[in-house]
Each structure stands twice: as structure tokens, then as C-alpha cells.
Amino acid sequence: MVARCSRDWDEAPGVTAQANAISDRATTLAQSDGVVWDEALAALRDAEAGATDDPRKDFALEQKLEAAAAAPLEIASLGADATALAALAAKHGDGTYRADVAAAAALAAGGATAAAHLVRVNLGVRATDPRLARALASEEAAHEIAERLLTSGR
């Protein structure tokens, strides 16, 4: 919204396009995430019910859990990207909308936090898993920008 409303900002159309692409991608991921998680949950239930030592089933379960973590991992990254765009909009966009920029960044940071949490849960990961590290880095980057934008408007 800020980029669309900032008439004197030459890069505003590009920022608008990027924000729309992030929104579209996040929507697609959120929709597919439920399907993939249902498949992983069914595999988890099958594994608990079967209690076999079949390595093929263990591998299939691991693959489904990894697939269930892929969408939230990307959503966390998109949250960081969205806050980076918000920072650009705060710097170059119409100052009338500074509060909207901060609010958008806070929402994107919240999305990154929720997604990082789902990566942790869906993988049942160890703290050293690089996917969790990427999700947490996205979360941290998003929160740093959001906090800066929220406090600068006070």
C-alpha cells in the first residue's frame, strides 16, 4: 500500500510488484502446507500404529516431515523479505504511511515467528539442524526490522 501510494518514489512500482509476489507466494505456500502436513501426520500415525523397523517406512516418514517443514521454512524467509521491503518503504515512501509500514513489518515478523515454530515442530529437529537455523535467522531479521520501524514511529 505504501509503495502504491508513494507517487514521488521512482522504485515504488518495483517494490509493489515484489510485495505482491511475496503475498502470492505466501498464500500458495499456506494453502499447500495444510495438505503436506496432513500427509505427514498420517504417516506419523501409521508409524506409531505399525511400530515396525522397516527402513523404507522410516525414510518415507522422514521425507514427509521434511516436506511439511519446507513451506514454513519458505514462509519464514518471505516474512524477512517483507520486512526488508517495509524498511525500504519507510525510508523512501510517503511519510504519511509510516505507521502502516511499521504495522506491516510487525505482521510479517509475526508470520516469520509462526513459520519458524512450525519448522521446529514439523521436523522435530535438533538445534543444530541448518533448516531450523535458516528459519530462526529469518525470524530474527524480520523482528529486528519490525522493532526498528515500530520504535522509530513513536
Side-chain angles (χ1 to χ4, degrees):
M1 177 191 85
V2 176
R4 279 193 318 269
C5 295
S6 297
R7 308 244 185 267
D8 295 330
W9 181 21
D10 292 339
E11 290 83 22
V15 170
T16 299
Q18 289 177 32
N20 288 336
I22 288 171
S23 177
D24 292 346
R25 183 67 183 141
T27 299
T28 299
L29 287 166
Q31 290 169 346
S32 68
D33 183 51
V35 173
V36 176
W37 174 245
D38 283 344
E39 292 172 0
L41 193 56
L44 277 169
R45 288 182 180 137
D46 288 347
E48 289 174 0
T52 67
D53 290 328
D54 184 351
R56 291 174 298 182
K57 285 188 177 184
D58 290 345
F59 180 73
L61 174 59
E62 184 178 325
Q63 295 296 91
K64 289 188 184 299
L65 290 173
E66 286 184 16
L73 180 57
E74 191 172 344
I75 291 169
S77 178
L78 291 173
D81 293 345
T83 59
L85 287 178
L88 278 174
K91 183 175 181 179
H92 301 289
D94 186 331
T96 304
Y97 304 102
R98 204 101 342 104
D100 297 293
V101 168
L107 290 170
T113 295
H117 173 72
L118 292 175
V119 169
R120 181 182 294 112
V121 170
N122 290 0
L123 287 174
V125 296
R126 297 170 301 282
T128 58
D129 190 300
R131 294 165 294 187
L132 179 58
R134 283 196 321 266
L136 294 175
S138 293
E139 175 188 20
E140 182 178 340
H143 277 279
E144 285 176 4
I145 292 170
E147 185 61 30
R148 187 174 75 238
L149 293 175
L150 288 167
T151 58
S152 69
R154 293 183 188 154

